[in-house]
């Protein structure tokens, strides 16, 4: 069964702190994709990163980094030196390749508050 | 490149009324999705189109919800009749390769 768990409902940090958002997934497929999206207060979901199941290399993009570990079925997201503009809801998502195309499921999201 | 367009942005209706939402995906994207996002929750897939064919509508309440994608481009999602529990944001997304989905701004529906 396909499942994405974001155990942290809300996180509050002070600006310049580092913060890690956890994502644990379940899938029986060997080929799948993992995503992170940001949903700022304006409401539009913004794509941050896509990772396929065969690429466990960690990725860094500016202050953002992602740690993909198949052994623990986790795809965690770290923001270094957080800023107020990082305040948003962050969603982790899993896509499996099905017969009719990709089937995607989203986690419940983690709301991040960054205080000045 | 233009993003995913949706209209209207906001809609307030009374229960038992009908409502329709429109989505124009990113040009060239074959896959189009409609999601329902209830406050405080993640998006839940309602229906997925590949060109103008339905790939997955297993979570679409077909007694009241319908969707179509004419000519494999624009799509409309309709609710008839609306219930109070349909109050949510309705998100449209489109995808090109590898299911990287790009989302529109959403339509916030309030059912009174």
């Amino acid at each position: 069964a396909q499942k994405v768990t974001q155990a942290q409902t809300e996180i509050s940090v002070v600006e310049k702190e580092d913060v890690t958002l956890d994502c644990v997934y379940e899938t029986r497929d060997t080929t799948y994709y993992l995503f992170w999206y940001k949903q700022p207060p304006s409401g539009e979901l913004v794509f941050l990163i896509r990772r396929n199941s065969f690429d466990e290399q960690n990725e860094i993009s500016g202050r953002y980094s992602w740690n993909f570990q198949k052994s623990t079925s986790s795809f965690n997201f770290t923001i270094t030196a957080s800023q107020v503009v990082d305040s948003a809801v962050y969603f982790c998502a899993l896509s499996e390749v099905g017969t009719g195309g990709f089937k995607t499921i989203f986690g419940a999201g983690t709301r991040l508050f960054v205080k000045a | 490149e233009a993003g995913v367009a949706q209209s209207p942005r906001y809609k307030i209706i009374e229960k038992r009324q009908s409502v329709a939402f429109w989505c124009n995906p990113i040009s060239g994207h074959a896959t189009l999705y409609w999601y329902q996002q209830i406050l405080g929750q993640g998006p839940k897939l309602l229906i997925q189109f590949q060109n103008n064919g339905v790939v997955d509508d297993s979570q679409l309440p077909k007694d009241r919800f319908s969707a179509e994608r004419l000519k494999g481009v624009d799509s409309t999602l309709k609710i008839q009749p609306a219930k109070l529990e349909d109050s949510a944001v309705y998100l449209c997304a489109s995808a090109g390769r590898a299911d990287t989905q790009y989302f529109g701004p959403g339509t916030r529906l309030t059912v009174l």
Side-chain angles (χ1 to χ4, degrees), chain A residues 100-106, chain B residues 4 6 21-23 25 30-37 43-70 73-79 89-95 99 101-103:
Chain A
F102 291 95
K103 185 175 176 66
T104 303
I105 185 169
F106 283 77
Chain B
V4 176
Q6 288 188 249
F21 312 128
W22 173 82
C23 173
T31 313
L32 185 147
Y33 308 80
W34 283 103
Y35 289 89
Q36 180 192 59
Q37 187 178 21
K44 183 186 89 170
L45 180 69
L46 292 175
I47 189 167
Q48 177 179 344
F49 292 94
Q50 182 78 12
N51 296 308
N52 59 351
V54 175
V55 171
D56 184 353
D57 63 356
S58 57
Q59 298 192 90
L60 187 73
K62 298 181 187 64
D63 57 333
R64 298 184 300 106
F65 286 64
S66 64
E68 60 181 6
R69 189 182 184 195
L70 300 175
V73 181
D74 292 8
S75 177
T76 55
L77 175 70
K78 296 179 182 177
I79 307 175
V89 176
Y90 290 85
L91 297 164
C92 179
S94 69
D99 198 41
Q101 298 180 38
Y102 295 90
F103 285 80

Side-chain angles (χ1 to χ4, degrees), chain A residues 70-99:
Chain A
K70 287 177 77 170
S71 60
T72 55
S73 297
S74 65
F75 186 43
N76 296 336
F77 172 30
T78 297
I79 302 174
T80 303
S82 59
Q83 299 176 1
V84 172
V85 293
D86 296 327
S87 297
V89 181
Y90 292 86
F91 291 97
C92 180
L94 165 69
S95 282
E96 295 175 338
V97 181
T99 52

Side-chain angles (χ1 to χ4, degrees), chain A residues 4-6 22-25 34-37 75 90-94 105-110:
Chain A
V4 175
T5 302
Q6 294 181 255
D22 298 333
C23 174
V24 174
Y25 63 92
L34 295 164
F35 301 83
W36 276 96
Y37 285 86
F75 186 43
Y90 292 86
F91 291 97
C92 180
L94 165 69
I105 185 169
F106 283 77
T110 296

Side-chain angles (χ1 to χ4, degrees), chain A residues 51-68:
Chain A
R51 175 67 64 205
N52 76 55
S53 53
F54 298 107
D55 183 2
E56 283 194 74
Q57 207 170 22
N58 291 331
E59 183 155 339
I60 298 174
S61 176
R63 296 184 298 106
Y64 294 171
S65 62
W66 290 270
N67 181 256
F68 176 28

Side-chain angles (χ1 to χ4, degrees), chain A residues 3-19:
Chain A
K3 188 176 179 182
V4 175
T5 302
Q6 294 181 255
Q8 304 149 308
T9 306
E10 288 186 2
I11 301 176
S12 184
V13 299
V14 177
E15 211 171 18
K16 298 182 185 173
E17 284 185 15
D18 298 347
V19 58

